[in-house]
Amino acid sequence: MVDPTHLAHLPDRAVLALSGLDRHSFLQGLVSNDVTEIVPGHAVWAALLTAQGRWVADFFLFADPDGARLLLDCEAAQADMLRQRLLRYRLRSDVSIDQTGFAVHAAWGAVPPMIDSAIGAPDPRLAGAGWRLLLPRPAEGAADHAAYDAHRLSLGLPDGSRDCEDGKTLLLEANFEALNGISWTKGCYMGQELTARTRYRGLVKRKLLPVSGAALPPPGTPLLQAGKEAGHMASSRDGHGLAMVRLAHRSGELTTEAGHSVQVHIPEWLTLPEADAPKD
């Protein structure tokens, strides 16, 4: 039986256009992934960090088929902030950053029939994630955001500011290295030094991991194990979610002060180091 195509419009996303002769070199020195890999039909997932290597935003980058622009699929609530923040680093670079009217969609299951007519590409994080599509307007008959939210939670994929803390989260804590969100060979970018040091010294002590439970608590709720702090909840929907979990507490059940029961799961695509035993 052929798996049907599932298509969802994501109204909480917006698209910025970067034009100008220096658009590639400008972004290359700022974001976590290799901008030179962006070509029609191949998107790149990348993050903007603080100078101290902490998450600010993440986004998908596409090549406009006409060859004149890079298109940045980001959280709509962050679009103005991202534009202003990126423009701070423009200096004398020939770069313009403007809002567009593109409607962002996600598709999964069978190959979407509009893939050849849309600006789109496979989701670069996981094959099972499907495709990202930029259309002139919301597609007729597209499902709402909840359908995609359930899909990405089933895979353990983070969703920007719903799962990462501005100025706090490290990319390796949010699994960017396992989800093709970091280039280790492109050279320097803002926050690169701490990101590389965290990797080579094995400094990651917590990870964003899938969780499940009959009634998952709200984002930010502390999670406990044997009375000790083990992490905190991030986004969730219908009994499936993500939580930032200390690796020493990744096995067994987590609870909250209100009595919620939370079970941690390790996705197949993620390899974790040996966990230290919880300290008394």
Side-chain angles (χ1 to χ4, degrees):
M1 183 175 179
V2 178
D3 191 13
T5 299
H6 303 276
L7 179 69
H9 173 224
L10 309 183
D12 61 344
R13 306 291 294 185
V15 179
L16 299 175
L18 287 83
S19 55
L21 295 177
D22 298 328
R23 60 190 183 278
H24 287 88
S25 59
F26 169 74
L27 270 188
Q28 187 76 326
L30 292 174
V31 304
S32 65
N33 218 335
D34 191 348
V35 175
T36 65
E37 295 185 359
I38 305 168
V39 295
H42 180 79
V44 164
W45 186 49
L48 179 69
L49 307 178
T50 67
Q52 294 74 36
R54 309 286 175 166
W55 180 92
V56 172
D58 61 75
F59 32 78
F60 298 88
L61 294 164
F62 299 82
D64 194 336
D66 66 9
R69 301 184 297 177
L70 294 175
L71 299 173
L72 189 154
D73 159 11
C74 64
E75 290 184 52
Q78 289 189 319
D80 287 341
M81 176 277 291
L82 264 175
R83 180 176 181 276
Q84 294 302 322
R85 194 150 188 160
L86 290 172
L87 286 174
R88 290 184 206 167
Y89 302 103
R90 180 173 55 177
L91 301 177
R92 297 181 180 178
S93 298
D94 179 9
V95 176
S96 297
I97 306 174
D98 302 290
Q99 289 270 11
T100 75
F102 283 115
V104 179
H105 296 71
W108 62 101
V111 177
M114 71 288 292
I115 188 68
D116 291 331
S117 59
I119 298 174
D123 189 314
R125 297 172 297 178
L126 285 177
W131 294 264
R132 306 286 294 195
L133 303 171
L134 310 182
L135 300 173
R137 62 190 63 84
E140 293 185 7
D144 64 19
H145 180 265
Y148 172 71
D149 206 32
H151 173 63
R152 66 100 188 167
L153 285 169
S154 73
L155 297 173
L157 300 177
D159 187 22
S161 61
R162 297 177 65 197
D163 298 305
C164 299
E165 297 178 273
D166 185 11
K168 294 183 179 180
T169 301
L170 301 174
L171 291 193
L172 272 68
E173 292 176 337
N175 303 317
F176 274 69
E177 82 287 9
L179 294 170
N180 304 310
I182 304 173
S183 170
W184 301 109
T185 58
K186 62 171 277 186
C188 294
Y189 57 90
M190 190 164 61
Q192 181 265 344
E193 183 177 355
L194 178 65
T195 303
R197 188 165 67 245
T198 302
R199 180 197 191 197
Y200 295 125
R201 295 186 181 179
L203 299 177
V204 176
K205 302 300 182 184
R206 61 178 196 163
K207 282 279 189 179
L208 194 64
L209 298 175
V211 296
S212 63
L216 292 175
T221 301
L223 300 176
L224 309 172
Q225 190 175 73
K228 301 182 185 302
E229 185 178 347
H232 65 267
M233 275 299 303
S235 64
S236 67
R237 181 181 295 274
D238 300 331
H240 297 278
L242 292 172
M244 188 65 77
V245 179
R246 294 185 179 184
L247 292 180
H249 297 275
R250 71 196 190 204
S251 300
E253 184 183 60
L254 306 183
T255 60
T256 70
E257 290 185 350
H260 297 95
S261 176
V262 178
Q263 185 67 44
V264 179
H265 307 278
I266 311 301
E268 293 182 357
W269 49 262
L270 182 62
T271 300
L272 295 179
E274 294 296 326
D276 296 328
K279 296 180 180 179
D280 294 331

